[in-house]
Amino acid sequence: MKVAGKHTRSIWVEADGVTVGVIDQTVLPHRFATIRLETLDDAARAIVSMQVRGAPLIGATAAYGICLALRADASDESLERAYAVLRATRPTAINLKWALDEMMAAVRNRPREERVAAAYRRAAEICDEDVAINQAIGGHGLALIEKIAVTKNPRERVNVLTHCNAGWLATVDVGTALAPVYAAHDAGIPLHVWVDETRPRNQGASLTAWELGQHGVPHTVIPDNTGGHLMQHGEVDIAIVGTDRVAANGDVANKIGTYLKALAAKDNNVPFYVALPSPTIDFTVKDGVADIPIEQRSGDEVATMSGKTSDSRIETVRIVPDGSAVANYGFDVTPARLVTGLITERGVVAPSREALAKAFPERSDAAE
Ligand code: MRU
């Protein structure tokens, strides 16, 4: 997608052919800065600190983390260690494990001298596949938005609500939940996005709003607790969110607060869609609510807030009394019964065990 009019992916190999560039998402929207990853530890740190985040981008960064580790040492021990270090960075997004397994399959049985080149090749393919998948998701989601648009008068906007950031910053390019939004906007459909701020890290307010703005998509940032009110008053035509892991039964893990939006959508007959690339499906988890691991992060993310002061300094302030306990659950799981459909690269799939297995038999069979 575009940054200041220039096409940019969220991850790339630098001109030296080995080090890896990423956008530092912790300083957006106030500053656009890139970082160069040179080692396995750089890649792991970027994921843990959330300089890179979003399930598909975490996977792509981990893939390049394997490349960087093998560059330093192409032995079996180094490969195993890199897998373990990267696997431990974040627990909920299954794309991380998927990408690491893909990398292992690409290099493990090769002689040492071939491993580095094979790893860079597979990491690049993972990135290109992500972009192609997201373009397909955009096409299938566009059809849903078009159906809503034809029910409106031509100047009326289609109102989409989204949570967190499942745009191009969360993927290699294009995005998942925002792919249909960009496709509809580019097709000339009048459209407006309600952007949940997404406390505590504010990925909606800082990242989704920024990338929609860069692409010229009309949007409004709302506090997280506003969506229900808007739905009651007919101000939301469709909710589209991303996901970090979809269980075999169609339950969906996504950023904390997604479940509440799905409940409100159900109560107000607002269609609630989840967009995902197939590497986000975890057929080994049979029941998402019971068994998807939920990341718990530092309480500091809840107790403090960062932002730009009127004289353009970035400052962090505390908003919770000293001594109050805080809890920081990173994700929640929306039960399949609240999900209208899963927008995948193979079309819109019902959130059920049968439909998922039918749409992705090769993945489902491999998990048996
Ligand atoms: O904690 P984050 O910012 O990595 O969480 C991201 C999300 O919850 C996204 O909705 C999800 O990864 C889907 S990204 C296409």
Side-chain angles (χ1 to χ4, degrees):
M1 302 299 283
K2 289 191 176 128
V3 178
K6 186 170 165 258
H7 182 256
T8 311
R9 279 187 174 187
S10 64
I11 187 164
W12 58 91
V13 175
E14 296 284 5
D16 60 13
V18 285
T19 59
V20 178
V22 291
I23 298 166
D24 182 354
Q25 300 194 20
T26 60
V27 298
L28 282 172
H30 305 302
R31 207 152 61 81
F32 181 82
T34 61
I35 340 171
R36 189 183 285 251
L37 310 177
E38 299 185 3
T39 63
L40 164 66
D41 289 345
D42 289 348
R45 198 177 313 114
I47 299 172
V48 169
S49 67
M50 293 179 65
Q51 287 171 311
V52 296
R53 29 68 52 202
L57 180 58
I58 291 170
T61 307
Y64 277 115
I66 295 282
C67 301
L68 296 170
L70 290 176
R71 227 183 112 233
D73 174 358
S75 67
D76 284 354
E77 300 70 44
S78 159
L79 183 60
E80 298 293 343
R81 180 174 167 271
Y83 185 103
V85 167
L86 291 162
R87 182 71 191 94
T89 50
R90 294 194 68 189
T92 304
I94 197 62
N95 307 57
L96 171 63
K97 178 174 185 300
W98 173 85
L100 289 171
D101 288 343
E102 290 291 310
M103 294 301 289
M104 283 305 232
V107 301
R108 186 186 263 141
N109 296 325
R110 289 181 182 273
R112 279 188 192 198
E113 60 279 13
E114 288 179 14
R115 283 182 170 175
V116 174
Y120 276 96
R121 261 198 316 276
R122 185 67 192 115
E125 282 168 9
I126 286 173
C127 290
D128 292 345
E129 284 163 19
D130 182 63
V131 177
I133 284 174
N134 297 339
Q135 278 162 344
I137 289 172
H140 298 303
L142 166 62
L144 298 172
I145 293 175
E146 275 169 342
K147 267 195 205 146
I148 297 168
V150 296
T151 66
K152 297 191 163 239
N153 87 47
R155 280 211 298 273
E156 230 186 326
R157 308 186 295 190
V158 175
N159 282 302
V160 181
L161 181 138
T162 194
H163 191 70
C164 195
N165 172 260
W168 70 266
L169 286 168
T171 65
V172 175
D173 203 353
V174 182
T176 57
L178 293 190
V181 166
Y182 290 126
H185 176 80
D186 293 350
I189 296 175
L191 163 138
H192 164 261
V193 184
W194 296 112
V195 179
D196 282 353
E197 62 176 346
T198 318
R199 282 282 291 149
R201 287 188 66 99
N202 300 316
Q203 289 96 325
S206 56
L207 303 178
T208 299
W210 180 79
E211 61 162 273
L212 289 174
Q214 292 291 317
H215 201 78
V217 180
H219 61 279
T220 305
V221 178
I222 48 174
D224 285 327
N225 32 24
T226 307
H229 168 77
L230 292 172
M231 291 181 197
Q232 274 178 331
H233 291 273
E235 297 285 347
V236 181
D237 295 300
I238 182 171
I240 313 179
V241 300
T243 170
D244 289 77
R245 195 184 302 210
V246 177
N249 67 349
D251 291 350
V252 169
N254 192 47
K255 182 53 54 192
I256 191 80
T258 302
Y259 172 42
L260 289 174
K261 290 301 136 67
L263 283 170
K266 187 77 169 181
D267 196 43
N268 291 284
N269 289 321
V270 171
F272 188 89
Y273 284 93
V274 179
L276 62 127
S278 54
T280 307
I281 307 168
D282 185 352
F283 281 102
T284 70
V285 171
K286 304 294 173 213
D287 178 330
V289 174
D291 294 329
I292 294 178
I294 299 298
E295 177 176 22
Q296 296 204 32
R297 297 184 58 86
S298 162
D300 290 347
E301 292 179 350
V302 177
T304 64
M305 268 187 129
S306 296
K308 190 164 77 170
T309 62
S310 54
D311 58 350
S312 289
R313 282 175 298 109
I314 304 298
E315 280 212 352
T316 301
V317 294
R318 191 172 170 89
I319 58 168
V320 172
D322 291 332
S324 287
V326 288
N328 189 5
Y329 295 87
F331 298 90
D332 59 26
V333 179
T334 300
R337 66 173 185 280
L338 300 179
V339 177
T340 309
L342 303 170
I343 311 173
T344 76
E345 69 267 32
R346 294 189 185 164
V348 179
V349 175
S352 72
R353 200 178 302 278
E354 300 70 32
L356 274 170
K358 189 164 169 230
F360 298 97
E362 70 287 6
R363 301 279 317 282
S364 160
D365 292 349
E368 286 307 318

